Amino acid sequence: MKSVTPSVLAIALFLPLLPVAAITDEVPAQGTPESWECKWCRFEEEKGGHGEIEGGAAYLSTDSYKFGQYSGLNAKGFNLIGNADVHYRGAGARFLDLEITDLGLDSRAARIEGGKQGEFTFSIEYDELPYLQLNAAETPFSGAGGNLLSLPDDWVPANTTDQMSTLSESLQPEDIGTKRKNLGLGGTFIPSPEWNLYAKFNRETKEGTKTLAGMFGNDNAFAARSAILPAPVDYVTEQLEAGATYNTRKWQAHIGYYGSFFKNENKSLAWRNPFSNPPSDANFGQMALEPDNSFHQIFFSGGYQFLRRTRGTAHVAWGRMLQNESFLPYTTNGSLTSSSLPRNSLDGRVDTLAIKLGLTSTPIDKLRLKANFNFTDYDNKTDKATYDYVIADSTPSLISRTNQPYSYEKGLLELSGSYRLPKQTKVLAGFDYESFDRTFQERSNTREATAWGGVRVRPHEELEATLKYTYAERDGGAYEEVPEISPPENALLRKYNMADRKRSKAHAYVSYMPHELVTFGLSMDYATDDYSNSILGLTDGEETSVTLDASYVPREDLSLYAFYTRDNIDTKQVGSQTFSTPDWFADGTDRINTAGLGVKYTVIEDKLDLGADYTYSQANGAIDVHSSIIDLTPLPDLKTRLHQLKLYADYRLKEKLSLRLDYIYEDYEQSDFTTDGVDPDSIRTVLSLGGEDSNYSAHLMGISLRYRF
Amino acid sequence: MMRNHMKALVLAIAGGMLLLQAPAAISSQFNDDSDNVGTTYSKKGADSCIKCHDEDNEYPVFPIFKTKHAQPADPRTPFGKRQCESCHGPGGEHSKKIKSGEERPPILSFGHKSVTPPTERNRPCLSCHEDHGRINWKGSIHETNDLACASCHVIHTAKDEVMTRFGQQEVCFRCHKKERSDIFRTSTHPLRYGKINCSDCHDSHGAPGPHLLIRPSTNETCFTCHAEKRGPFLWQHAPVDEDCTLCHRSHGSSHPALLKKRSFLLCRECHSSMGHPSIAPGSSTPTALSFDRFLLAKGCMNCHPQVHGSNHPSGVKLNR
């Protein structure tokens, strides 16, 4: 793919501006007049150490991995509350800030930042993030966390899970989840007010387990067998960014480097086949885990004030993705293949280019014009090779396959304008055009034209409203079968990211303030996608989101709010079980209700504050699959429901000491036929993990003292 | 390669912009935008202001001394320049003595009650902050929608809410109401735990990526936390490399792993080849096994776990 075109376009877009690019730079007022003593300014009072430190304990009433999914508050019992927010201001603009949050939890974080304001800064940060995916999953495999999973010595393989005679006695509980630990360092150096040099680096480890299915079998999917495995996660990701910025009133520039380096401590996962069939001699399987990879990017960002009312911006980023992990063998079962690999590693490389050019101008007060041009190139330079692969460590494939190094290139032009009419009315309109090229896929080019218009009115100070409507049509070149894909897709299928599409979107926002203490809001988004030229695949999508809001602030010490959001997500898709014309239809209907209300009340000024927030979230997902020729089992609805109540009281015991009480109640229920009651032997051909259900009802009570200084 | 009509369109725009420069050049001579502020500075600077704006005033100002703006030793800050009037403009008229019953001349104000257009209100901020983080502010969606800096930021406070762990979401959710409901879905990024913030992915001041994403593409933004999915892999899954949001909802979903749908539906939107991919979800034909093995547990990922790509020589079907 060539990337010369965008450069030409960029020059063309910006060339007309150059002859008139001379304006005088406005010089801001510099220095403080000597007569301005600022004797009442509180510079001195704010010097020294200030801040607050909080310590206490919180009691959780129940064990629940779902409640503490991202906080680590998952076990019944006491937890430490520890937070700090401390600032030190020294002479000559020196400063040091310390922030600690959730010291007693697995989600603890700390950050120190210091330096001399206007000259240099440095920062160190540390952050932990747990993710609890499954509690007490059941697996007969031992060695979770490593890259070899074994079965008990007395394991008796069987054709299906219900025939595994030693399964129940072999099951061991296994918690599935990960923990991230991130250490970051940063610094800035400001040699002059115009310059800013910066560098930041972070190293994040992610350790634990995740679920990954290991399959055995051949091309006949009904003969395949698989086991859900506790796969190891032991990642290290390092990111480095360094750059320099130069800023004047008239122009600004930012140049930098960004690098990201991923390392996986486990290159593969091998596991023993718990099934006897298919092939009984496939005793072990081996899977490739995510390979080490790296990404380098150089970027430039700039802004130029051509005229007082015309500004141009540019962002260009050149990147390179690299991956060259050693290949595993086709199979660990040497008897299945005599072929040698065409190469020992991929030597994968993708060059990326992103260009974003923007121009915004206000030629007269009322008129605002904008033009943006975006270009994205994902240029896959990876070599092709042909692989005589083995199907799931079980059977040599009858055909070979050649890798398809997909590339794409996307250009998007956006033009828009707004015009201000009397009485605080503004009309807006725009037109976008996108051209999207892909390689090795069914459609080499799609084009999408989008037109939109809207109006924003404020007829009275109390009422503000925005309406916007967007219409887009996408079409493209011929949709053709990709010869390399085997078995081929049904010729009537249109993949939705490349299919012809008519999209309509509407947005409405109204804010009404009938009284200065009361505000009502209405927000609505509606979008519909019509893929009417798709005979198979996704044919329709429709999403609506409506929110009603109200807030009431009767006094400075009392505020109340309430909201309700309704989200509807409807989709229609069509399939062909007979691999011919449409014979089944699936309608997805998601209905989500979210409501909240809350109050903040200062009962006694500087003494007692109370607050309460309640949120309710309920989702119902119906899937209706229907057909006139296929017997179908109706699918149960998927349901989730969450009640969350948060209460707090903050009582100032002394001038610097406060007592804080927190109470959180959450009640969560889920109904999901895909996992509820699915034990390791429930699916005869899939040895699954089972695990605790995620429902919970939890009370969290906290008491803490907060010291301010 | 770009299509020719795309090139023609861009050239046409360039021509249009050229024509626009004529009125722009003229208007720039006649339109001085500083018509909302005074013309002379006060006699005593901040002391003139604090005389009235003390703790008992409707608009107290003292918390600003807890902030980095009030650092006279840093010549870049307002208090290293003309103190309050660095941002509020010359306050000579506003601070002078007035006769009883006379209306006090206004001064540039920033709060929600300000009648000054957002562009004017933002000018003092941008005079210092149109640096690398705000290079793309002008022309960005928030700027176009008439947001002022003070729509989200509070300056006269020790801790600007939008810069805090939970406060930022509250500020963003004032307008982004669908996202407020999304974070309560069963599958979501940890926003409501305070472990991720809107600004970890989005730059509200204008950004290189789509949807104000911090990196030039959606995927590059996702890879800042999910670098293991970057590859490139030997066996790529084409939509994965194109856009994560073809399959995932970034703010929250009722389906696991932030997926738009269950895999047995989602995958079949693009896969219909002969054999099991074309079988209707819930079908008990051609074998009774069709129902549970394709629908329960991890659905399609019961056998094809490597949906983000495989680097195994035998991983063409994303099962190794």
Side-chain angles (χ1 to χ4, degrees):
Chain A
M1 291 207 175
K2 292 183 181 175
S3 53
V4 179
T5 317
S7 321
V8 175
L9 294 176
I11 292 164
L13 193 59
F14 282 83
L15 194 63
L17 297 162
L18 296 177
V20 287
I23 58 164
T24 54
D25 201 1
E26 188 179 307
V27 181
Q30 294 292 336
T32 309
E34 280 181 20
S35 61
W36 290 13
E37 296 174 48
C38 221
K39 61 188 177 190
W40 291 335
C41 296
R42 295 188 174 169
F43 300 131
E44 293 306 314
E45 288 89 332
E46 297 301 335
K47 281 190 177 161
H50 295 276
E52 59 181 45
I53 294 173
E54 184 182 13
Y59 178 78
L60 180 64
S61 66
T62 186
D63 291 331
S64 168
Y65 77 94
K66 181 72 175 170
F67 177 78
Q69 190 157 42
Y70 289 107
S71 67
L73 263 171
N74 59 317
K76 181 179 177 176
F78 285 95
N79 291 274
L80 173 74
I81 294 176
N83 297 300
D85 189 5
V86 180
H87 310 276
Y88 173 80
R89 298 282 175 272
R94 290 181 195 282
F95 72 99
L96 190 67
D97 297 334
L98 167 71
E99 189 173 18
I100 296 173
T101 51
D102 294 342
L103 183 64
L105 304 184
D106 281 350
S107 53
R108 60 185 63 82
R111 179 180 166 84
I112 296 172
E113 185 175 1
K116 188 174 181 187
Q117 198 181 314
E119 292 188 14
F120 70 93
T121 66
F122 64 88
S123 64
I124 306 167
E125 59 189 349
Y126 177 75
D127 185 271
E128 294 184 10
L129 175 64
Y131 172 59
L132 310 175
Q133 189 185 349
L134 278 175
N135 213 38
E138 293 179 300
T139 177
F141 290 98
S142 56
N147 54 14
L148 175 62
L149 297 173
S150 311
L151 289 167
D153 291 340
D154 59 353
W155 181 263
V156 181
N159 184 28
T160 53
T161 56
D162 54 336
Q163 295 167 0
M164 291 177 175
S165 57
T166 53
L167 175 62
S168 60
E169 67 197 55
S170 306
L171 292 174
Q172 315 160 55
E174 189 67 48
D175 295 343
I176 306 289
T178 56
K179 177 91 175 262
R180 291 177 190 246
K181 292 180 183 173
N182 179 44
L183 179 67
L185 303 170
T188 59
F189 177 56
I190 305 159
S192 72
E194 295 82 20
W195 280 99
N196 188 319
L197 313 176
Y198 73 93
K200 51 188 178 182
F201 169 79
N202 80 302
R203 182 178 196 272
E204 184 186 77
T205 60
K206 184 178 176 184
E207 294 177 10
T209 49
K210 64 173 183 174
T211 61
L212 202 63
M215 178 199 135
F216 290 95
N218 55 30
D219 263 344
N220 177 0
F222 301 100
R225 300 289 183 268
S226 72
I228 313 292
L229 308 168
V233 174
D234 194 353
Y235 305 154
V236 181
T237 305
E238 294 176 331
Q239 295 180 91
L240 171 69
E241 185 176 328
T245 68
Y246 186 81
N247 306 301
T248 67
R249 291 289 301 276
K250 193 166 156 187
W251 63 276
Q252 303 81 35
H254 178 194
I255 188 162
Y257 164 81
Y258 169 74
S260 171
F261 309 88
F262 170 75
K263 188 166 189 277
N264 193 346
E265 299 293 340
N266 295 289
K267 310 301 181 196
S268 63
L269 174 65
W271 73 102
R272 193 176 148 195
N273 184 0
F275 292 93
S276 59
N277 183 50
S280 53
D281 56 349
N283 289 327
F284 278 89
Q286 189 181 44
M287 187 136 39
L289 298 177
E290 299 90 342
D292 294 358
N293 71 64
S294 61
F295 177 60
H296 306 267
Q297 189 171 59
I298 293 168
F299 57 86
F300 167 80
S301 219
Y304 189 78
Q305 199 73 31
F306 292 103
L307 290 159
R308 187 179 180 84
R309 290 156 169 262
T310 302
R311 180 174 169 82
T313 54
H315 183 91
V316 185
W318 297 267
R320 178 164 290 181
M321 299 160 60
L322 298 168
Q323 189 274 109
N324 199 26
E325 189 70 67
S326 297
F327 281 148
L328 298 171
Y330 281 124
T331 174
T332 52
N333 192 343
S335 63
L336 294 176
T337 181
S338 57
S339 299
S340 56
L341 289 166
R343 53 196 306 150
N344 295 323
S345 61
L346 183 65
D347 199 12
R349 179 182 136 193
V350 177
D351 290 347
T352 62
L353 173 64
I355 299 174
K356 184 173 183 173
L357 305 175
L359 190 61
T360 174
S361 184
T362 313
I364 52 173
D365 270 351
K366 294 174 178 174
L367 180 66
R368 176 74 179 273
L369 297 168
K370 265 177 33 173
N372 280 321
F373 175 68
N374 297 337
F375 177 78
T376 306
D377 188 22
Y378 181 94
D379 189 3
N380 199 332
K381 304 275 195 189
T382 306
D383 288 339
K384 280 187 172 191
T386 300
Y387 295 81
D388 301 322
Y389 71 104
V390 173
I391 302 168
D393 288 297
S394 307
T395 316
S397 173
L398 299 175
I399 57 165
S400 304
R401 288 288 291 263
T402 304
N403 60 311
Q404 305 290 294
Y406 300 111
S407 294
Y408 63 85
E409 188 183 273
K410 188 166 55 168
L412 170 66
L413 181 67
E414 299 169 309
L415 305 171
S416 63
S418 65
Y419 191 78
R420 210 174 277 281
L421 297 167
K423 297 188 176 175
Q424 302 218 45
T425 300
K426 192 176 180 182
V427 289
L428 309 97
F431 176 78
D432 308 338
Y433 183 80
E434 182 185 85
S435 178
F436 202 138
D437 294 355
R438 299 172 175 87
T439 62
F440 307 121
Q441 295 198 59
E442 287 81 355
R443 213 169 197 186
S444 58
N445 174 261
T446 56
R447 300 170 295 261
E448 183 165 32
T450 305
W452 59 270
V455 60
R456 186 176 308 137
V457 294
R458 201 174 174 184
H460 313 288
E461 271 190 25
E462 307 82 44
L463 181 66
E464 188 181 347
T466 302
L467 291 168
K468 185 181 172 187
Y469 178 76
T470 305
Y471 180 76
E473 274 196 24
R474 184 173 72 191
D475 58 16
Y479 194 99
E480 295 167 325
E481 187 182 312
V482 178
E484 183 62 24
I485 301 299
S486 172
E489 300 290 355
N490 189 312
L492 300 177
L493 177 88
R494 296 291 177 269
K495 295 182 177 177
Y496 60 89
N497 60 327
M498 292 177 266
D500 290 355
R501 181 180 70 188
K502 289 174 185 164
R503 168 172 280 185
S504 301
K505 291 201 289 187
H507 168 76
Y509 177 83
V510 180
S511 173
Y512 177 52
M513 211 183 212
H515 186 273
E516 65 175 11
L517 310 178
V518 181
T519 309
F520 293 107
L522 164 70
S523 177
M524 193 214 78
D525 283 285
Y526 172 77
T528 176
D529 288 343
D530 173 4
Y531 301 88
S532 49
N533 293 337
S534 298
I535 298 171
L536 295 179
L538 182 66
T539 57
D540 288 282
E542 188 176 303
E543 289 198 29
T544 311
S545 180
V546 180
T547 296
L548 296 168
D549 267 279
S551 72
Y552 177 49
V553 187
R555 301 193 305 263
E556 210 171 89
D557 57 3
L558 179 64
S559 65
L560 300 101
Y561 74 86
F563 73 88
Y564 169 70
T565 299
R566 166 77 170 200
D567 291 294
N568 292 352
I569 305 170
D570 296 325
T571 61
K572 290 181 189 295
Q573 67 185 92
V574 181
S576 174
Q577 185 158 319
T578 51
F579 195 65
S580 55
T581 50
D583 55 26
W584 62 265
F585 307 85
D587 301 342
T589 312
D590 283 2
R591 297 284 177 268
I592 303 113
N593 297 298
T594 314
L597 51 96
V599 58
K600 280 181 186 168
Y601 180 37
T602 301
V603 184
I604 309 167
E605 195 179 351
D606 294 330
K607 194 76 179 170
L608 179 61
D609 293 310
L610 300 176
D613 295 281
Y614 167 73
T615 311
Y616 170 77
S617 173
Q618 176 259 336
N620 192 86
I623 302 167
D624 174 26
V625 189
H626 49 277
S627 169
S628 56
I629 60 166
I630 304 162
D631 285 338
L632 293 165
T633 305
L635 306 181
D637 286 2
L638 303 159
K639 296 176 181 177
T640 61
R641 195 263 299 132
L642 172 74
H643 293 285
Q644 185 193 63
L645 175 67
K646 291 181 167 180
L647 304 174
Y648 73 84
D650 202 306
Y651 183 72
R652 187 173 279 199
L653 299 167
K654 293 181 179 177
E655 191 193 342
K656 295 182 174 178
L657 190 67
S658 299
L659 174 72
R660 166 118 180 166
L661 300 174
D662 279 287
Y663 171 73
I664 298 175
Y665 169 70
E666 283 192 9
D667 186 78
Y668 175 77
E669 259 185 30
Q670 176 175 313
S671 174
D672 182 344
F673 71 92
T674 69
T675 53
D676 293 346
V678 176
D679 295 322
D681 60 354
S682 297
I683 312 172
R684 283 178 291 162
T685 55
V686 180
L687 178 58
S688 65
L689 282 172
E692 269 178 18
D693 70 33
S694 52
N695 297 349
Y696 64 85
S697 182
H699 304 265
L700 179 71
M701 289 150 283
I703 181 165
S704 58
L705 283 171
R706 189 181 296 181
Y707 180 69
R708 293 184 192 84
F709 57 98
Chain B
M1 286 288 285
M2 279 287 116
R3 291 288 178 269
N4 284 334
H5 46 262
M6 188 91 171
K7 287 182 198 166
L9 206 52
V10 175
L11 288 168
I13 302 316
M17 285 290 174
L18 177 64
L19 291 174
L20 279 170
Q21 291 317 299
I26 295 162
S27 69
S28 69
Q29 293 170 31
F30 294 101
N31 283 289
D32 182 20
D33 295 315
S34 58
D35 47 357
N36 278 292
V37 294
T39 52
T40 57
Y41 284 95
S42 65
K43 285 181 182 170
K44 295 181 178 178
D47 286 342
S48 307
C49 310
I50 295 171
K51 206 168 156 186
C52 296
H53 292 278
D54 59 11
E55 276 154 339
D56 298 325
N57 187 268
E58 191 184 353
Y59 303 105
V61 297
F62 287 118
I64 199 162
F65 294 109
K66 295 180 183 296
T67 72
K68 291 183 174 177
H69 277 133
Q71 179 50 270
D74 181 354
R76 304 171 307 161
T77 67
F79 277 79
K81 296 177 185 165
R82 291 191 178 260
Q83 301 170 356
C84 310
E85 290 159 81
S86 299
C87 301
H88 291 277
E93 287 84 356
H94 179 74
S95 62
K96 73 180 180 186
K97 281 184 183 169
I98 54 167
K99 290 174 188 166
S100 176
E102 189 183 338
E103 195 175 338
R104 183 169 290 284
I107 194 165
L108 179 59
S109 66
F110 299 90
H112 298 295
K113 290 182 183 172
S114 175
V115 292
T116 310
T119 317
E120 303 302 309
R121 275 185 278 162
N122 292 347
R123 180 163 292 143
C125 310
L126 291 172
S127 71
C128 293
H129 291 287
E130 197 165 38
D131 53 8
H132 67 278
R134 265 72 48 181
I135 284 179
N136 295 302
W137 168 252
K138 286 179 186 155
S140 72
I141 185 74
H142 282 146
E143 192 258 356
T144 311
N145 284 338
D146 290 335
L147 261 76
C149 305
S151 302
C152 303
H153 291 283
V154 180
I155 306 304
H156 292 189
T157 181
K159 200 130 203 164
D160 186 4
E161 197 186 10
V162 76
M163 312 281 273
T164 64
R165 187 178 169 205
F166 287 105
Q168 186 180 88
Q169 314 171 12
E170 284 184 25
V171 173
C172 299
F173 292 159
R174 280 186 214 150
C175 296
H176 298 279
K177 294 169 184 186
K178 177 172 165 39
E179 285 71 21
R180 173 177 59 188
S181 70
D182 285 347
I183 69 162
F184 283 96
R185 305 277 170 86
T186 187
S187 176
T188 178
H189 281 114
L191 270 106
R192 68 185 181 92
Y193 297 82
K195 292 304 294 180
I196 191 173
N197 244 327
C198 310
S199 62
D200 287 323
C201 301
H202 300 281
D203 186 342
S204 54
H205 304 110
H211 308 291
L212 296 178
L213 288 169
I214 55 169
R215 303 227 69 91
S217 71
T218 303
N219 287 21
E220 283 178 41
T221 305
C222 301
F223 294 150
T224 59
C225 292
H226 304 285
E228 76 278 7
K229 295 179 173 66
R230 181 168 46 212
F233 297 93
L234 166 61
W235 306 109
Q236 292 176 278
H237 190 185
V240 173
D241 297 301
E242 189 172 308
D243 189 341
C244 303
T245 62
L246 286 171
C247 297
H248 296 280
R249 289 180 182 274
S250 46
H251 298 111
S253 171
S254 305
H255 308 290
L258 294 140
L259 284 168
K260 287 182 172 177
K261 291 179 164 188
R262 300 296 164 136
S263 63
F264 54 79
L265 290 174
L266 184 62
C267 301
R268 283 177 168 86
E269 288 182 347
C270 291
H271 296 289
S272 65
S273 54
M274 186 181 284
H276 69 283
S278 60
I279 290 173
S283 169
S284 52
T285 53
T287 95
L289 293 176
S290 310
F291 184 87
D292 54 3
R293 70 166 302 134
F294 297 142
L295 268 57
L296 304 186
K298 293 170 80 74
C300 301
M301 282 91 83
N302 281 335
C303 290
H304 305 279
Q306 308 280 32
V307 285
H308 297 107
S310 169
N311 207 52
H312 193 294
S314 293
V316 62
K317 303 284 177 142
L318 305 180
N319 59 22
R320 274 296 178 275

